[in-house]
Amino acid sequence: MSKKNRQKIVPGKATSRIGDSREVVLKEQPVSYDKQKPSWRFARFDSDCADWGLDTLKKELESVLGCLRSYEDHTWQSIKTMTHGKKGKTKNHTVGINKLTKKGRRRLNDIKNDDIEEVFSLRYNGLFRIIGLLRGEILYILWIDPNHEVCETKN
């Protein structure tokens, strides 16, 4: 290729390599929600759920607020890579619907959320989990699970 026909590579710009010398400027980089700090929403909270709903939230309000506060200074990337225990297991992670207990899957059907592929499990301590739907930087909280009953555990 002669010097005359070479295209200049400019960082942050996309160029066509097939006979088109125009440069296309990318106006915005794709948003990476992992670099964002978390936000919490209760719009999808399953308050009618006898096991993980409003009654549990009332009983565990101090723990729930403590959990959510403990994560607010972190980014989602940091939250997703936190570990615990001697084996360094991830504290917070997505859980495929097939890894939910029968009771958890049944409840998703009851509240018409059976079309989702995964939920996000946020660990507070011990068995305590907050289960929700992670959309962008927002965790839409579904359930308060103080006894790890929503997701299956490996024994």
Side-chain angles (χ1 to χ4, degrees):
M1 183 183 283
S2 71
K3 286 184 182 182
K4 184 178 179 182
N5 292 332
R6 284 191 192 157
Q7 291 184 350
K8 182 179 171 185
I9 304 298
V10 179
K13 294 185 179 182
T15 58
S16 169
R17 295 189 182 264
I18 304 175
D20 187 359
S21 62
R22 294 177 289 168
E23 291 182 344
V24 178
V25 177
L26 298 176
K27 294 184 180 187
E28 292 182 28
Q29 295 295 323
V31 176
S32 172
Y33 294 111
D34 280 350
K35 294 181 181 180
Q36 302 291 318
K37 291 189 177 185
S39 295
W40 323 112
R41 299 262 172 88
F42 284 86
R44 296 180 82 165
F45 185 65
D46 184 12
S47 58
D48 294 332
C49 182
D51 297 308
W52 315 306
L54 192 56
D55 289 341
T56 306
L57 177 61
K58 287 177 183 176
K59 282 187 243 173
E60 301 291 345
L61 187 58
E62 191 173 336
S63 295
V64 170
L65 292 176
C67 176
L68 298 178
R69 283 182 186 142
S70 71
Y71 288 112
E72 286 181 350
D73 289 333
H74 297 276
T75 63
W76 277 110
Q77 182 175 3
S78 168
I79 291 168
K80 290 175 182 177
T81 58
M82 290 177 176
T83 59
H84 71 96
K86 292 178 183 176
K87 294 182 181 179
K89 295 170 73 177
T90 8
K91 288 175 68 169
N92 314 299
H93 50 86
T94 57
V95 178
I97 298 308
N98 62 329
K99 297 293 183 185
L100 298 184
T101 60
K102 285 181 186 178
K103 194 174 180 180
R105 287 192 304 271
R106 193 174 325 119
R107 190 61 194 165
L108 273 180
N109 285 331
D110 292 347
I111 63 172
K112 312 275 188 276
N113 272 307
D114 54 339
D115 60 335
I116 61 172
E117 295 179 15
E118 62 188 19
V119 294
F120 193 83
S121 174
L122 195 63
R123 181 181 192 267
Y124 182 49
N125 59 32
L127 298 174
F128 195 103
R129 303 292 187 273
I130 294 177
I131 307 295
L133 305 175
L134 187 57
R135 301 292 182 258
E137 79 277 8
I138 300 169
L139 182 67
Y140 289 89
I141 298 169
L142 287 176
W143 299 309
I144 307 303
D145 182 14
N147 300 310
H148 208 303
E149 298 171 327
V150 173
C151 303
E152 294 177 352
T153 57
K154 293 178 185 175
N155 294 332

